[in-house]
Amino acid sequence: MAKRRLTQQQQRRIQGNQQQRIARAKHDEAEQILDSPEQSGLVIANYGKQLVIETADAEHILCRSKQNLGSVVCGDQVIYQTSEEEQRGLIVAILPRRSFLSRPGFAGKIKAIAANIDRIFIVTAAIPELNEGMLDRYLVAAEQNELEAIIVFNKLDLLDEQQRAEIETRLCLYRELGYKVIYTSSKLEHGLEQLLQELEQYTSIMVGQSGVGKSSLIQQLLPATEIRIGEISEATGKGAHTTTTSRLYHLDSGGDLIDSPGVREFGITEISSEELTAAFREFRPVLGHCQFRNCDHLEQSAGCAIVAAISTGDVSKQRYLSYLRIRESLVAD
Ligand SMILES: Nc1nc2c(ncn2[C@@H]2O[C@H](COP(=O)(O)OP(=O)(O)OP(=O)(O)O)[C@@H](O)[C@H]2O)c(=O)[nH]1
Ligand SMILES: [Mg+2]
Ligand SMILES: [Zn+2]
């Protein structure tokens, strides 16, 4: 018998039937999972649609999350259910978060970074070069989320005496603001005890530009765990984004530490101008002291208490300029 050619209508019907079958199979699978008991777990890695959960028995299982749950991130405590084979899970709820860190993503979207963290370790380094503008933006994010920020300066081994002194002077500004600054070298295993001390008992995250050595530091803290570390591109002096997904590690000395992928830029959004002003902690003592209640704290604003504090040395010009730049970036959004 000659092979019969299907009409377009028949083809469409077959395709439609197939799609229905796939949808039904997916639905059945979800129903089957949803019949199993609810358990709680901790999200320790996020690979986009797939997440890894640490169960109460310290086992790791691969999960996806139920639709409409929103972003589930590293550090989230979740309720999940497993299929009969117990190999895959479905996250059905996120437990209330005590903190949440996010950054602007593409097309005005907010990219969730981590949840339930207490401390944010902002890692900077000799290479890529220390960038105070970026540091200030991370500090704003920390202040906005009421997280304690600690500044780490890594790759100290790459600097000579004079260069070290110069960096110390630059970071002294931040020490005076009350931020702890830790100098490290994962190459020389320098500063690691101090780092560990600050990490104990807390859930922390390491953030910072790609290639500053976040993963290298974590590797030093967890020698028994294999962590991917990247090469700095010789051409650009920039890292090649080695860590592509956030991952939570348990430290032997207590405390959890999340390694996060480096970023080129760290922008600030979703902050009101009042919140931004208060995020510069040295501005707080003079807030409300401007001559006009609706003062916009610009250099030309008459009777601005912040501008006045620059001339008395209570506010550094550099930080003030950083503040203005962030404000401009908010307006441009
Ligand atoms: N000289 C020197 N090099 C270091 C030090 N720490 C890390 N490096 C090197 O810096 C490069 C980048 O290190 P990573 O740990 O991958 O950097 P990262 O911050 O995790 O980068 P992303 O995952 O891309 O965000 C690697 O070639 C490391 O060997 C250090 O203390 N001294
Ligand atoms: Mg890394
Ligand atoms: Zn003012």
Side-chain angles (χ1 to χ4, degrees):
M1 198 170 75
K3 225 174 178 180
R4 191 165 56 95
R5 282 188 64 156
L6 297 175
T7 64
Q8 277 196 337
Q9 198 187 1
Q10 283 169 324
Q11 280 178 3
R12 266 202 303 273
R13 199 169 54 226
I14 290 172
Q15 267 174 8
N17 285 345
Q18 254 169 3
Q19 270 159 7
Q20 269 179 12
R21 265 200 298 277
I22 293 169
R24 218 178 301 132
K26 275 191 180 161
H27 180 76
D28 289 349
E29 184 195 60
E31 286 287 294
Q32 188 195 343
I33 287 179
L34 286 170
D35 279 342
S36 73
E38 292 188 339
Q39 304 170 67
S40 63
L42 170 70
V43 175
I44 59 163
N46 178 347
Y47 300 95
K49 288 212 162 62
Q50 302 263 48
L51 299 118
V52 181
I53 282 188
E54 187 181 82
T55 66
D57 309 326
E59 273 170 23
H60 293 177
I61 56 167
L62 213 52
C63 282
R64 54 199 171 77
S65 75
K66 209 173 143 189
Q67 273 183 343
N68 307 325
L69 264 195
S71 306
V72 184
V73 290
C74 240
D76 260 326
Q77 295 281 354
V78 294
I79 301 291
Y80 70 95
Q81 292 170 294
T82 51
S83 59
E84 245 161 46
E85 318 87 67
E86 301 238 329
Q87 276 154 351
R88 265 169 320 158
L90 182 69
I91 297 173
V92 293
I94 307 172
L95 296 180
R97 294 161 167 156
R98 67 171 187 278
S99 69
F100 185 67
L101 188 68
S102 62
R103 70 178 171 86
F106 291 110
K109 282 197 184 138
I110 295 295
K111 198 165 172 6
I113 304 177
N116 300 321
I117 40 181
D118 310 299
R119 296 188 151 193
I120 168 166
F121 285 70
I122 306 167
V123 185
T124 63
I127 298 175
E129 232 182 309
L130 173 63
N131 175 340
E132 277 99 342
M134 188 145 165
L135 178 55
D136 289 334
R137 289 194 293 278
Y138 273 117
L139 288 172
V140 166
E143 296 284 350
Q144 187 187 7
N145 292 291
E146 294 179 29
L147 301 171
E148 175 153 1
I150 291 166
I151 299 165
V152 177
F153 184 88
N154 188 35
K155 309 198 191 183
L156 202 58
D157 56 285
L158 295 178
L159 302 184
D160 63 26
E161 290 277 300
Q162 193 194 334
Q163 290 168 318
R164 279 187 200 193
E166 195 189 302
I167 290 293
E168 277 170 20
T169 311
R170 281 166 68 183
L171 288 177
C172 195
L173 165 63
Y174 293 92
R175 276 212 163 127
E176 283 167 4
L177 293 175
Y179 296 112
K180 283 186 188 136
V181 180
I182 303 178
Y183 291 92
T184 60
S185 162
S186 57
K187 275 262 151 72
L188 304 179
E189 299 185 23
H190 174 91
L192 300 179
E193 303 75 36
Q194 204 187 344
L195 199 55
L196 268 180
Q197 256 174 27
E198 299 297 339
L199 289 162
E200 266 170 28
Q201 297 164 23
Y202 298 105
T203 299
S204 308
I205 184 166
M206 283 212 179
V207 297
Q209 255 178 298
S210 190
V212 289
K214 299 176 293 295
S215 302
S216 304
L217 285 168
I218 298 175
Q219 180 69 84
Q220 290 295 338
L221 302 175
L222 289 166
T225 311
E226 200 178 308
I227 296 167
R228 266 196 73 200
I229 287 163
E231 289 304 315
I232 289 267
S233 149
E234 296 211 349
T236 61
K238 288 191 174 123
H241 298 278
T242 306
T243 308
T244 50
T245 167
S246 293
R247 173 118 212 171
L248 183 144
Y249 299 97
H250 298 298
L251 299 168
D252 298 335
S253 52
D256 290 338
L257 179 55
I258 298 173
D259 188 8
S260 74
V263 292
R264 281 249 152 71
E265 266 303 316
F266 184 82
I268 298 286
T269 52
E270 300 226 315
I271 190 168
S272 68
S273 56
E274 288 79 18
E275 273 182 312
L276 177 65
T277 312
F280 280 74
R281 46 165 72 170
E282 66 273 43
F283 296 177
R284 288 179 203 158
V286 299
L287 287 185
H289 294 205
C290 299
Q291 189 179 342
F292 298 103
R293 241 187 44 182
N294 60 350
C295 181
D296 50 14
H297 316 308
L298 294 175
E299 275 171 293
Q300 62 275 19
S301 305
C304 176
I306 295 174
V307 174
I310 299 173
S311 45
T312 58
D314 290 327
V315 164
S316 95
K317 180 87 182 195
Q318 180 196 313
R319 285 268 293 171
Y320 175 70
L321 292 178
S322 212
Y323 162 74
L324 291 185
R325 268 198 303 275
I326 298 174
R327 263 184 48 169
E328 264 168 42
S329 74
L330 292 179
V331 175
D333 274 343

